[in-house]
Amino acid sequence: MPRVYDSRKRILVTGGAGFLGSHLIDRLLAHGHEVICCDNLFTGTKRNIEHLHGNPAFEFLRHDVTFPLYVEVDEIYNLACPASPIHYQHDPVQTTKTSVHGAINMLGLAKRVGSKVLQASTSEVYGDPAIHPQTEQYWGNVNPIGPRSCYDEGKRCAETLFFDYWRQNRLRIKVARIFNTYGPRMHPNDGRVVSNFIVQALTGEPITIFGEGQQTRSFCFVADMVRGLHQLMDTADEFTGPMNLGNPREFTILELAERVISLTASSSKLVFLPLPEDDPRQRQPDIGLATSEMGWSPEVDLDDGLLSTISYFKERLQ
């Protein structure tokens, strides 16, 4: 049974030393909760949480979610999984295990202690979408045997497990489909387009664009994303999702590169490379459900978010 006491909760965040997880922990602590950060530090880093050491409401646990975890908590945010192609393709079998075994272990923990559990899923469940923008009702267009499949299908299977636990055990679940998120604490070598472009621009290296740069993405600043995740966890138990969380403003990759060059006053030149296999041509969330269900929409403009991220990388690269 869930523990019953005041509004202060004990919350587990897996992947909590990562880019997104560390920002979520900051928000949860600011709202007066106790947080256990679980991370095996494969892609996460102690740098992202070093400012929290000494905080009596914060605890770091080095642990791999592919193994069971035994703690007493009221809520679980399951964010553990490499999220960039460079990292998740480095060990694709482990990536799938993290998504699938990690989901099973966190669902089992939630079942044992009666907690609510949120799965950080991804827009990649839509694959290379045949509809635009993508709504939660769309089943996706995913290659099950390609180089991105370890992540795409791993997250799809995790969603399956969450909804089967909900149907079979009436577990209190939430599923968020996260679209491209960026901001301070991104890994400088994660291969994601925002961090790639900013690091290349700041170091004067050529900015590498795959294909002709006409593929589109929608970029959500990290503060907006963690606010959305927090609000989703706090929705009524009857609401499960899945729910798209992202910024519906759509930009081509070429437009992003030009903005980064302008904001950094960089002399970097554009270099065009072959498009990777299964790279989605379009990515834009329909956030109508998030807006109607909890009044959520992004607030941070792309230029403002990029300036904040550029400032972070300038300090990192010194």
Side-chain angles (χ1 to χ4, degrees):
M1 293 293 292
R3 296 186 298 168
V4 179
Y5 52 104
D6 61 27
S7 59
R8 183 180 175 95
K9 299 171 185 171
R10 186 167 171 81
I11 301 174
L12 172 66
V13 179
T14 71
F19 155 58
L20 187 57
S22 63
H23 283 282
L24 176 62
I25 288 174
D26 285 345
R27 181 180 175 89
L28 296 174
L29 290 171
H31 279 72
H33 302 301
E34 298 178 29
V35 179
I36 300 174
C37 169
C38 169
D39 204 300
N40 69 352
L41 301 181
F42 174 61
T43 57
T45 172
K46 290 182 179 179
R47 176 196 294 268
N48 289 340
I49 54 173
E50 63 184 359
H51 63 289
L52 300 175
H53 294 300
N55 186 330
F58 174 77
E59 178 181 353
F60 173 68
L61 182 62
R62 186 163 186 169
H63 181 84
D64 189 322
V65 295
T66 61
F67 298 95
L69 181 61
Y70 300 95
V71 291
E72 294 289 330
V73 291
D74 304 294
E75 292 178 351
I76 302 166
Y77 289 83
N78 187 35
L79 274 60
C81 189
S84 71
I86 285 178
H87 289 150
Y88 67 63
Q89 291 173 6
H90 172 72
D91 188 345
V93 172
Q94 185 63 27
T95 295
T96 302
K97 288 172 67 176
T98 300
S99 288
V100 177
H101 292 185
I104 290 170
N105 288 329
M106 290 307 106
L107 288 162
L109 173 60
K111 182 182 175 184
R112 285 194 302 274
V113 301
S115 68
K116 200 172 356 178
V117 57
L118 182 147
Q119 168 66 15
S121 189
T122 172
S123 61
E124 298 299 335
V125 301
Y126 299 123
D128 189 6
I131 68 165
H132 193 73
Q134 293 80 58
T135 68
E136 292 86 353
Q137 288 72 40
Y138 178 51
W139 290 356
N141 178 36
V142 177
N143 177 1
I145 59 171
R148 302 170 67 101
S149 306
C150 58
Y151 184 70
D152 301 2
E153 296 287 32
K155 289 289 191 178
R156 285 164 68 93
C157 186
E159 287 196 17
T160 298
L161 287 162
F162 265 68
F163 278 90
D164 283 339
Y165 264 78
W166 170 69
R167 280 184 287 262
Q168 187 170 327
N169 301 300
R170 305 314 301 171
L171 203 64
R172 295 180 297 155
I173 68 163
K174 309 289 178 182
V175 174
R177 290 176 177 166
I178 295 171
F179 284 68
N180 293 60
T181 308
Y182 72 99
R185 301 184 198 159
M186 294 185 81
H187 196 292
N189 300 314
D190 67 4
R192 286 190 269 195
V193 65
V194 172
S195 51
N196 260 13
F197 286 0
I198 291 175
V199 170
Q200 289 168 343
L202 290 176
T203 56
E205 296 293 321
I207 290 184
T208 51
I209 295 178
F210 295 101
E212 298 179 356
Q214 294 307 305
Q215 64 271 43
T216 66
R217 297 293 185 269
S218 302
F219 302 101
C220 186
F221 190 63
V222 64
D224 286 327
M225 182 57 65
V226 299
R227 177 170 53 87
L229 293 172
H230 193 193
Q231 286 183 234
L232 176 56
M233 181 66 93
D234 286 345
T235 54
D237 289 350
E238 295 74 26
F239 182 78
T240 61
M243 175 184 281
N244 289 339
L245 291 175
N247 194 319
R249 289 198 63 194
E250 187 179 14
F251 298 89
T252 67
I253 297 302
L254 187 58
E255 286 175 323
L256 176 69
E258 291 167 346
R259 283 184 180 231
V260 169
I261 289 173
S262 175
L263 292 171
T264 57
S266 175
S267 59
S268 293
K269 304 301 181 184
L270 303 181
V271 174
F272 295 86
L273 300 176
L275 199 64
E277 185 179 349
D278 297 334
D279 191 58
R281 293 163 296 171
Q282 293 180 304
R283 186 70 87 228
Q284 182 190 21
D286 183 316
I287 61 167
L289 181 61
T291 302
S292 63
E293 187 69 29
M294 55 191 200
W296 180 88
S297 62
E299 297 174 353
V300 179
D301 177 77
L302 180 62
D303 282 358
D304 291 337
L306 287 176
L307 285 170
S308 175
T309 311
I310 289 165
S311 177
Y312 168 77
F313 277 113
K314 280 183 178 177
E315 186 176 338
R316 266 301 294 272
L317 296 171
Q318 284 181 352

